[in-house]
C-alpha cells in the first residue's frame, strides 16, 4: 500500500453494532426489538430480561462502542486518515436508520461499514446487511439520495484482532493459582452458528493456542464451546454449552479452565451473564478454578486493524495495489459477500453484497 493513507472513494465509516439497553426502562422495548418476528419463546424472553435487570438494566455494549469510536477516531487522526466515523445500532439508540439519515444529510455518498462481528454467519453478517437494506428502503421512501454502501471484510484472522486475544488468554493463565496453571484447559467460547462460522473460530482458536504455547512454553489443551441456547427451538444450536463443558472438564480431571470469548468483539450481556455469572457460578460449585479472558474491545491494535482494513478496501475499490493481512490457514475473506453467502433464514433484501438491490 501507499504510504499516503487514502480512503477515497469512501467519505465515511459507519460502526454498525447490536445495541443494548442503558437502564431498566429500556430492557423490555430493547428485547422486543431484538426478537421481533423471530419466534423467541416468551419464557426465554423473560429469562433474558432478568439477566439485564441483574445488572441494573444496562448492557456494557454501548459504552464499549463509545470507547471503540474514540479509539478509531484517535488512531485515524494520528495516522492522517481523514475519514469521519459514525455509529448506528440494530436494536437500540442510536438506531441505524437514524444514523444513516444523518450521514446522507451530511453529504456522505460512499460509506464503509464496520460490523462489530468478526466472523461469517447469518446474525453476524447477513442480518446486518438486511438491516442496511431496510434502512436504505426507509430513506428511499423519504426521498433522500441513497449512498453506496460497502461492508469491510471479515476480520477474524487479522493480527490486530487475534493478538489482543492471545494477550488476554496469557493474562488469564497468569491469574490462575500456580499449581494448576500449566494444566489449565482453554475453552474458546462462541455464539452457536454453524457453517463457515465454526471453521473460522477453529482457525482462530488454533492461532491463539499456538501463540500461547510459543510464548509460555506450555501446550494447553483446548476446545471450542458455545453460548447457552437462544432463539427459536427449531433453529439448530451448537454444543457443548459452556456449563456442560465445565462439568465434563472437571470430571476428566482438568485442574483449571480459561474461558476465552473469541466470538465477540466486546463485552455484552451474554458475556456478562453466560460467562461471568452463570459459568463462573458453575465452576465455583464444581470447585474448578476459572478465569475469563478479555474481549478485544477498544484495544489500539484493533483500531489499527480497522484503519488497515479501510485503506485496503479503498485501494481495492480504486484499482490500487492491495496487501491483505491475514493469519492462519483460511486467508483473507472476500470483500463482497457472494450470492448465498451466510444463507438467509427467510427471503429478504440485503445491502452491501453481490445480491444487493442497492448497487
Amino acid at each position: 500500500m501507499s504510504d499516503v493513507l487514502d480512503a477515497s472513494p469512501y467519505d465515511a465509516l459507519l460502526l454498525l453494532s447490536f445495541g443494548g439497553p442503558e437502564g431498566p426502562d429500556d430492557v423490555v422495548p430493547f428485547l422486543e426489538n431484538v426478537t421481533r418476528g423471530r419466534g423467541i419463546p416468551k419464557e426465554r424472553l423473560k429469562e433474558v430480561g432478568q439477566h439485564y435487570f441483574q445488572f441494573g438494566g444496562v448492557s456494557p455494549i454501548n459504552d464499549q462502542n463509545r470507547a471503540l469510536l474514540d479509539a478509531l477516531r484517535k488512531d485515524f487522526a494520528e495516522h492522517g486518515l481523514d475519514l469521519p466515523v459514525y455509529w448506528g445500532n440494530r436494536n437500540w439508540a442510536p438506531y441505524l436508520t437514524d444514523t444513516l439519515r444523518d450521514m446522507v444529510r451530511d453529504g456522505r455518498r460512499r460509506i464503509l461499514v464496520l460490523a462489530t462481528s468478526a466472523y461469517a454467519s447469518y446474525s453476524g453478517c447477513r442480518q446486518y446487511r438486511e438491516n442496511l437494506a431496510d434502512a436504505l428502503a426507509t430513506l428511499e421512501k423519504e426521498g433522500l439520495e441513497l449512498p453506496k454502501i460497502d461492508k469491510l471484510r471479515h476480520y477474524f484472522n487479522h493480527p490486530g484482532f487475534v493478538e489482543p486475544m492471545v494477550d488476554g488468554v496469557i493474562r488469564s493463565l497468569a491469574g490462575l493459582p500456580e499449581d494448576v496453571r500449566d494444566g489449565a484447559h482453554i475453552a474458546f467460547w462462541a455464539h452457536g452458528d454453524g457453517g463457515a462460522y465454526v471453521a473460522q473460530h477453529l482457525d482462530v482458536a488454533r492461532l491463539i493456542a499456538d501463540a500461547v504455547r510459543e510464548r509460555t512454553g506450555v501446550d494447553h489443551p483446548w476446545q471450542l464451546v458455545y453460548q447457552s441456547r437462544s432463539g427459536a427451538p427449531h433453529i439448530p444450536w451448537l454444543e457443548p454449552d459452556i456449563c456442560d463443558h465445565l462439568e465434563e472438564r472437571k470430571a476428566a480431571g482438568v485442574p483449571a479452565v480459561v474461558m476465552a470469548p473469541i466470538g465477540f468483539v466486546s463485552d455484552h450481556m451474554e458475556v456478562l451473564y453466560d460467562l461471568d455469572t452463570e459459568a463462573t457460578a458453575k465452576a465455583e460449585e464444581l470447585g474448578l478454578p476459572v478465569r475469563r479472558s478479555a474481549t478485544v474491545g477498544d484495544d489500539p491494535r484493533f483500531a489499527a486493524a480497522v484503519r488497515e482494513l479501510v485503506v485496503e478496501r479503498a485501494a481495492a475499490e480504486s484499482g490500487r495495489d492491495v496487501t491483505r493481512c491475514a493469519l492462519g490457514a483460511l486467508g483473507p475473506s472476500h470483500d463482497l459477500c457472494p450470492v448465498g453467502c451466510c444463507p438467509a433464514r427467510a427471503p429478504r433484501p440485503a445491502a452491501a453484497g453481490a445480491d444487493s438491490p442497492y448497487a
Side-chain angles (χ1 to χ4, degrees):
M1 287 186 193
S2 169
D3 291 333
V4 177
L5 297 187
D6 184 3
S8 62
Y10 298 106
D11 54 20
L13 177 69
L14 170 61
L15 176 65
L16 177 55
S17 193
F18 191 82
E22 301 198 80
D25 292 342
D26 297 345
V27 172
V28 172
F30 165 75
L31 292 175
E32 289 173 343
N33 288 341
V34 173
T35 61
R36 186 173 289 117
R38 288 175 53 192
I40 303 296
K42 190 72 172 180
E43 296 73 18
R44 177 61 179 167
L45 192 61
K46 292 177 180 177
E47 179 185 346
V48 173
Q50 291 305 311
H51 298 175
Y52 286 95
F53 287 124
Q54 287 184 37
F55 296 90
V58 179
S59 168
I61 192 169
N62 276 0
D63 275 347
Q64 295 223 349
N65 279 325
R66 292 183 183 101
L68 178 56
L69 279 171
D70 289 343
L72 292 173
R73 289 166 177 159
K74 181 175 184 289
D75 180 272
F76 288 9
E78 289 177 347
H79 291 85
L81 181 62
D82 184 16
L83 193 70
V85 186
Y86 294 74
W87 171 34
N89 288 325
R90 172 189 293 171
N91 297 301
W92 201 248
Y95 288 104
L96 167 60
T97 302
D98 296 336
T99 299
L100 206 55
R101 185 184 297 110
D102 289 342
M103 296 177 79
V104 169
R105 289 173 175 167
D106 287 346
R108 311 305 175 191
R109 295 294 177 262
R110 290 294 305 271
I111 297 170
L112 261 178
V113 174
L114 167 67
T116 56
S117 176
Y119 301 85
S121 68
Y122 171 74
S123 60
C125 182
R126 174 80 191 193
Q127 192 172 12
Y128 281 116
R129 293 177 50 227
E130 291 173 354
N131 299 148
L132 286 165
D134 291 342
L136 288 170
T138 298
L139 299 190
E140 188 173 35
K141 289 177 182 177
E142 295 173 359
L144 295 175
E145 181 180 352
L146 299 187
K148 186 179 187 307
I149 295 179
D150 291 321
K151 179 178 174 290
L152 288 173
R153 66 177 172 90
H154 303 302
Y155 47 86
F156 64 92
N157 55 3
H158 194 287
F161 184 68
V162 175
E163 290 165 3
M165 293 189 292
V166 172
D167 288 348
V169 170
I170 290 174
R171 284 194 300 269
S172 294
L173 287 165
L176 287 168
E178 189 173 356
D179 61 335
V180 299
R181 187 178 303 151
D182 286 355
H185 170 90
I186 305 172
F188 293 109
W189 189 67
H191 181 261
D193 288 307
Y197 181 87
V198 174
Q200 291 170 0
H201 277 79
L202 287 171
D203 201 42
V204 171
R206 290 188 193 99
L207 285 168
I208 296 172
D210 288 349
V212 169
R213 182 183 64 250
E214 290 170 7
R215 288 172 53 179
T216 67
V218 179
D219 190 6
H220 291 274
W222 60 270
Q223 185 172 338
L224 184 61
V225 300
Y226 300 97
Q227 178 184 335
S228 57
R229 164 172 278 283
S230 65
H234 68 277
I235 296 175
W237 204 253
L238 300 177
E239 296 179 339
D241 165 271
I242 180 63
C243 289
D244 293 340
H245 182 66
L246 293 177
E247 290 183 342
E248 292 166 359
R249 294 303 88 203
K250 177 65 176 180
V254 167
V257 173
V258 166
M259 303 180 295
I262 63 171
F264 306 96
V265 171
S266 64
D267 289 1
H268 48 70
M269 190 51 61
E270 283 77 9
V271 176
L272 259 64
Y273 187 81
D274 283 40
L275 293 188
D276 295 352
T277 304
E278 192 172 48
T280 299
K282 171 58 70 173
E284 290 176 358
E285 174 190 320
L286 296 169
L288 181 66
V290 295
R291 296 292 184 273
R292 196 267 282 183
S293 65
T295 50
V296 172
D298 61 340
D299 189 289
R301 289 168 292 183
F302 180 49
V306 174
R307 168 174 38 86
E308 291 174 10
L309 290 167
V310 166
V311 174
E312 168 199 300
R313 183 61 181 273
E317 286 293 304
S318 301
R320 302 190 297 270
D321 290 338
V322 176
T323 300
R324 300 180 185 275
C325 195
L327 301 173
L330 299 180
S333 296
H334 45 254
D335 279 341
L336 189 69
C337 292
V339 176
C341 179
C342 301
R345 292 176 180 171
R348 288 184 59 192
D355 55 352
S356 172
Y358 299 100

